[in-house]
Amino acid sequence: QMCEKFTVCGSSMEMLVRNDLNLPKVTEQDGDLVTFLSFQDKCLRKISSGLYTFQTYLEYVQETFTSEKQNVKLLCYSTEHLARTIRQMVINPNEVIIPDSATQESLRTKLKSDKTWIEKITTHLILRDFTSFMEKTLRAIRYLKNTRSFSV
């Protein structure tokens, strides 16, 4: 819907230049997916921490993507619920990184722009990276569920 309404999709150079958001993701530094997932607790901590971090980004999307405000609100709620649920599965839940209010406020300030164009690009990048993060999360949970005595 973002692509159709705002025409900000594709491989626009502006999008690539603007992508300095430091969104959570599983990277090559984490090792390949199988190696990464062999450390179940580390995997769950990373997923939960990433979901908590995405909360602030999704709140920004809710503020800027007003035509889908209700859907994004539901997405925020579901993401928070999933982050809490996965955090409870971690051996030491205190090791899950939850951004404090100062970090969240700093991020909100960084995300704000007086240019509608930048808001649209930022919103698109957040949703794109959140989708990728959730795809990897789903694969990780399925892998853990199928290879361990793990229940969701």
Side-chain angles (χ1 to χ4, degrees), residues 105-118:
E105 192 54 43
S106 172
L107 179 56
R108 281 187 197 98
T109 302
K110 178 184 172 190
L111 290 172
K112 290 198 188 302
S113 173
D114 57 351
K115 297 180 182 169
T116 305
W117 176 95
I118 291 176

Side-chain angles (χ1 to χ4, degrees), residues 127-140:
L127 292 173
R128 183 194 66 188
D129 284 13
F130 181 72
T131 300
S132 175
F133 187 87
M134 290 307 297
E135 287 169 352
K136 289 179 175 115
T137 295
L138 181 59
R139 278 201 314 256

Side-chain angles (χ1 to χ4, degrees), residues 69-88:
K69 192 171 195 141
Q70 202 56 34
N71 288 333
V72 179
K73 185 176 184 175
L74 180 59
L75 182 63
C76 289
Y77 172 78
S78 300
T79 301
E80 182 180 4
H81 179 71
L82 182 59
R84 276 195 320 266
T85 301
I86 293 175
R87 183 174 183 236
Q88 292 171 355

Side-chain angles (χ1 to χ4, degrees), residues 30-46:
D30 298 314
D32 62 65
L33 194 59
V34 174
T35 303
F36 177 68
L37 295 175
S38 66
F39 302 103
Q40 177 178 329
D41 198 61
K42 178 182 176 187
C43 177
L44 293 173
R45 274 195 321 268
K46 177 138 182 142

